[in-house]
């Protein structure tokens, strides 16, 4: 990632440095724009609600920050399992393609790789379902304003889509790592 610019550490969680690459700014702006512009998702979901343009842009920023928070949780799940199995973890970096846990070595066993790979999409599913449940509760009996509910709807939807995408059996996605771990377990060779 050196070609994409110098990463900067933002903070630490559970001892893992959380870093951001300057390319992340491009992705952040792209997400905010895709959510907030006149043809964006938020305009479609909030049609007829009388929401101001300023509110759309504020919601777009909140949605983008929520997405990156979700990516950090996803990568933290990988990192915690990696640490538990004895793998060194250098940190987590957010960049133009999302996020990555920087492992210091290959997994020690096929089982370690399997659990490290499946925990990421599982964390995205948990976040996605929790957000959609909150959205449904807000819509049905909590009487939240539509502007609150739409953020949970977006985060629920995008996290479930991320879980599906990351589960595709293509290396280095999580699904590809699951396939590699299964082949490793069958053949005894990484």
């Amino acid at each position: 990632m050196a070609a994409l610019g110098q990463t900067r550490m933002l903070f630490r969680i559970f001892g893992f440095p959380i870093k951001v690459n300057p390319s992340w700014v491009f992705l952040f702006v792209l997400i905010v724009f895709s959510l907030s512009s006149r043809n964006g998702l938020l305009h479609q979901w909030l049609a007829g609600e009388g929401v101001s343009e300023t509110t759309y842009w504020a919601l777009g920023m909140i949605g983008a920050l929520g997405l990156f928070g979700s990516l950090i949780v996803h990568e933290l799940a990988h990192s915690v399992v990696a640490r538990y199995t004895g793998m060194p973890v250098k940190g987590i970096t957010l960049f133009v393609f999302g996020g990555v846990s920087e492992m210091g070595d290959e997994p020690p066993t096929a089982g370690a790789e399997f659990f490290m790979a499946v925990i990421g999409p599982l964390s995205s599913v948990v976040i996605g379902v929790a957000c959609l449940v909150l959205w449904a509760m807000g819509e049905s009996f909590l009487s939240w304003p539509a502007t609150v509910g739409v953020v949970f709807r977006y985060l629920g939807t995008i996290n479930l889509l991320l879980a599906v995408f990351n589960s595709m059996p293509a290396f280095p996605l999580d699904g590809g790592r699951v396939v590699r771990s299964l082949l490793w377990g069958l053949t005894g060779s990484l």
Side-chain angles (χ1 to χ4, degrees):
M1 272 185 282
L4 297 175
Q6 185 65 32
T7 60
R8 303 272 187 246
M9 190 172 99
L10 299 175
F11 50 86
R12 288 182 177 273
I13 299 178
F14 305 132
F16 300 114
I18 310 298
K19 300 175 274 187
V20 65
N21 184 279
S23 65
W24 173 84
V25 174
F26 172 75
L27 184 59
F28 181 81
V29 169
L30 183 64
I31 291 169
V32 172
F33 186 79
S34 70
L35 289 173
S36 307
S37 67
R38 289 211 183 265
N39 294 323
L41 188 61
L42 296 177
H43 275 270
Q44 294 172 27
W45 284 353
L46 291 172
E49 294 290 335
V51 177
S52 72
E53 286 302 310
T54 303
T55 302
Y56 281 117
W57 289 99
L59 290 172
M61 285 189 240
I62 292 167
L65 290 172
L67 171 60
F68 286 107
S70 299
L71 289 173
I72 289 171
V73 170
H74 177 108
E75 297 303 332
L76 271 174
H78 289 307
S79 297
V80 167
V81 170
R83 179 188 284 166
Y84 180 77
T85 61
M87 289 180 57
V89 180
K90 297 176 184 177
I92 296 168
T93 301
L94 299 175
F95 68 113
V96 73
F97 297 114
V100 64
S101 295
E102 300 170 36
M103 304 300 165
D105 202 357
E106 290 290 344
T109 65
E113 175 151 61
F114 177 83
F115 288 113
M116 188 179 67
V118 299
I119 196 68
L122 283 176
S123 68
S124 294
V125 167
V126 168
I127 293 168
V129 168
C131 288
L132 289 176
V133 165
L134 287 170
W135 169 61
M137 289 171 49
E139 289 279 309
S140 59
F141 60 87
L142 294 177
S143 301
W144 287 347
T147 53
V148 173
V150 77
V151 172
F152 286 112
R153 181 179 179 189
Y154 166 70
L155 291 174
T157 303
I158 198 71
N159 272 284
L160 292 178
L161 289 172
L162 284 170
V164 169
F165 176 77
N166 275 305
S167 296
M168 292 190 330
F171 194 84
L173 296 175
D174 297 332
R177 291 186 176 276
V178 167
V179 170
R180 182 172 87 162
S181 73
L182 295 173
L183 292 173
W184 181 3
L186 290 171
T187 65
S189 170
L190 176 63

